[in-house]
């Protein structure tokens, strides 16, 4: 079914509402959705709320029936889905069925893996045949010792061969997708391997991304500044340290964040948060066990949150300390 017209009209209406400063979105749907296939993880990353046992909700796999129901409801309006949050998506045994169902409704999918996707050759082949559009592969070291300093407990050996096999499967199927990104979190202990990881990405015919670490997701994150923050000047850092202010985002929170006007975060258990930066699910705005995406999107709770952010973003606790909101504000001011 061709949803091009309904998606275009929905997006145009959302843009008009955002431009006017409106917060009541009745009759519209998000432009995009973030969904969490699983909140389980097989790694114990110290700066992640799942790895640090601070997620604030149970560990679940999203049920395939729930996922299909979401897709069937939003397909006339939503063209993009991000399928990851605070867990490893490929631990969900239905993940490839989810990708294929979204693809059948002409919804592009983006997914991030800690390398679990490469544990079986059949999974690597399915990355190509399922209809996945974009894959981010976390590779925070060029060897096991460096990699496992942050990705604690995670097998390293399958990842690099898996990247190369994925490259070969794409050629075998003459497929341009998934578009692969090798992503390195810039940290003090791995900064010396920047060029080694870049070379691995090049050999895998993948894009290479260097991403700054987020200290704000766990309770002791800022205590780990000296341990994890890179020292090389060419490495990205979203925080700075000063004698008078301590450790703070390099860019302060502005007066704008587009996330709650364009998308929302659906967790593996069906609860809904305004965005993926609500690390501990402090602000639950709905539950798909007894509501629809449309109900939650235009409901009183989400509308009130948008109004609060519009009036004064610093009065919203999850926004006040958000380094991502600060970066978005800075980017908008540069345009």
């Amino acid at each position: 079914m061709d949803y091009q017209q309904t998606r275009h009209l929905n997006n145009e209406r959302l843009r008009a509402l955002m431009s006017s400063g409106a917060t009541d979105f009745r009759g519209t749907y998000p432009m995009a959705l973030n969904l969490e296939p699983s909140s389980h993880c097989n790694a114990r990353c110290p700066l992640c709320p799942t790895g640090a046992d601070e997620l604030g909700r149970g560990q679940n796999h999203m049920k395939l029936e729930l996922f299909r129901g979401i897709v069937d409801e939003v397909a006339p309006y939503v063209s993009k889905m991000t399928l990851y949050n605070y867990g490893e998506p490929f631990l969900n045994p239905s993940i490839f069925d989810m990708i294929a169902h979204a693809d059948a409704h002409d919804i592009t999918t983006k997914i991030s893996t800690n390398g679990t996707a490469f544990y079986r050759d059949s999974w690597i082949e399915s990355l190509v045949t399922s209809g996945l559009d974009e894959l981010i592969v976390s590779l925070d070291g060029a060897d096991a010792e460096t990699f496992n300093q942050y990705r604690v407990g995670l097998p390293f050996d399958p990842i690099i061969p898996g990247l190369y096999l994925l490259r070969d499967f794409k050629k075998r199927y003459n497929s341009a997708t998934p578009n692969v990104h090798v992503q390195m979190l810039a940290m003090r202990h791995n900064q010396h391997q920047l060029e080694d990881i870049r070379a691995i990405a090049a050999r895998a015919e993948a894009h290479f991304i260097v991403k700054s670490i987020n200290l704000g997701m766990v309770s002791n994150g800022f205590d780990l500044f000296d341990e994890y923050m890179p020292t090389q000047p060419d490495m990205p850092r979203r925080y700075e340290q000063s004698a008078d202010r301590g450790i703070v985002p390099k860019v302060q929170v502005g007066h704008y964040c587009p996330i709650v006007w364009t998308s929302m975060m659906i967790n593996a258990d069906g609860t809904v948060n305004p965005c993926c930066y609500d690390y501990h699910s402090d602000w639950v705005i709905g539950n798909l066990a007894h509501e629809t995406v449309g109900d939650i999107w235009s409901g009183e709770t989400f509308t009130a949150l948008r109004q609060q952010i519009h009036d004064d973003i610093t009065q919203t606790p999850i926004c006040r300390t958000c380094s991502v909101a600060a970066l978005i504000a800075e980017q908008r001011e540069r345009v």
Side-chain angles (χ1 to χ4, degrees):
M1 188 171 182
D2 186 1
Y3 299 121
Q4 184 174 354
Q5 184 175 8
T6 53
R7 290 174 180 176
H8 174 74
L9 291 174
N10 181 68
N11 291 352
E12 286 299 301
R13 187 172 181 191
L14 284 176
R15 292 188 183 98
L17 289 168
M18 286 188 288
S19 297
S20 68
T23 57
D24 184 347
F25 278 17
R26 280 175 292 184
T28 68
Y29 270 83
M31 292 183 181
L33 279 181
N34 302 312
L35 292 95
E36 180 182 68
S38 181
S39 55
H40 289 271
C41 196
N42 48 351
R44 306 289 295 175
C45 304
L47 297 177
C48 172
T50 304
D53 287 328
E54 295 184 5
L55 189 60
R57 50 188 168 87
Q59 292 189 329
N60 301 274
H61 295 316
M62 180 175 284
K63 291 180 170 57
L64 181 59
E65 311 90 85
L66 173 60
F67 182 86
R68 285 175 171 165
I70 294 168
V71 170
D72 294 347
E73 179 190 353
V74 306
Y77 312 100
V78 172
S79 60
K80 298 178 182 179
M81 285 187 173
T82 299
L83 302 181
Y84 61 94
N85 192 27
Y86 296 115
E88 170 52 43
F90 291 96
L91 293 178
N92 188 321
S94 299
I95 187 61
F96 290 111
D97 292 324
M98 292 176 171
I99 295 168
H101 191 69
D103 183 61
H105 287 75
D106 196 28
I107 297 174
T108 63
T109 50
K110 175 182 179 180
I111 201 163
S112 179
T113 180
N114 60 21
T116 300
F118 300 134
Y119 288 1
R120 299 180 187 176
D121 289 359
S122 61
W123 291 357
I124 301 173
E125 186 172 12
S126 293
L127 292 171
V128 180
T129 61
S130 62
L132 179 65
D133 294 281
E134 193 169 356
L135 178 70
I136 300 171
V137 181
S138 297
L139 188 61
D140 304 321
D143 55 59
E145 181 181 0
T146 306
F147 178 83
N148 287 128
Q149 192 164 334
Y150 183 73
R151 304 283 171 182
V152 178
L154 196 66
F156 171 78
D157 290 343
I159 299 176
I160 296 175
L163 278 166
Y164 299 154
L165 184 56
L166 175 57
R167 172 201 62 197
D168 295 342
F169 273 126
K170 287 175 66 176
K171 291 179 179 179
R172 183 182 305 177
Y173 284 96
N174 192 28
S175 177
T177 55
N179 190 7
V180 182
H181 306 269
V182 171
Q183 179 176 277
M184 170 189 173
L185 284 180
M187 294 176 279
R188 188 165 303 195
H189 66 269
N190 70 359
Q191 58 187 352
H192 67 288
Q193 291 190 338
L194 173 69
E195 295 306 322
D196 295 329
I197 301 171
R198 189 196 305 274
I200 293 168
R203 185 177 174 188
E205 299 180 9
H207 303 282
F208 180 53
I209 303 170
V210 184
K211 183 180 178 181
S212 59
I213 59 170
N214 188 346
L215 299 175
M217 294 190 291
V218 296
S219 58
N220 68 332
F222 292 99
D223 296 332
L224 301 174
F225 180 93
D226 290 333
E227 181 176 350
Y228 285 103
M229 195 60 57
T231 56
Q232 292 182 3
D234 58 338
M235 285 290 190
R237 297 159 54 107
R238 68 177 73 182
Y239 303 97
E240 61 185 3
Q241 188 173 32
S242 65
D244 57 331
R245 294 190 300 157
I247 300 167
V248 294
K250 292 174 69 175
V251 181
Q252 298 304 300
V253 175
H255 301 285
Y256 173 81
C257 182
I259 295 174
V260 295
W261 274 265
T262 58
S263 66
M264 62 187 189
M265 181 73 237
I266 302 174
N267 299 315
D269 61 0
T271 58
V272 180
N273 298 120
C275 69
C276 63
Y277 305 110
D278 184 3
Y279 308 119
H280 312 296
S281 289
D282 294 323
W283 202 307
V284 176
I285 58 172
N287 192 323
L288 290 172
H290 49 80
E291 297 174 276
T292 67
V293 172
D295 290 338
I296 298 169
W297 178 249
S298 58
E300 291 182 4
T301 303
F302 210 175
T303 300
L305 176 61
R306 290 191 194 100
Q307 188 65 54
Q308 183 171 311
I309 291 173
H310 176 269
D311 293 342
D312 185 356
I313 195 172
T314 63
Q315 295 305 307
T316 307
I318 62 172
C319 303
R320 190 162 51 239
T321 58
C322 179
S323 61
V324 179
L327 293 173
I328 291 172
E330 180 189 43
Q331 292 165 359
R332 184 170 186 255
E333 289 168 2
R334 287 177 177 174
V335 174

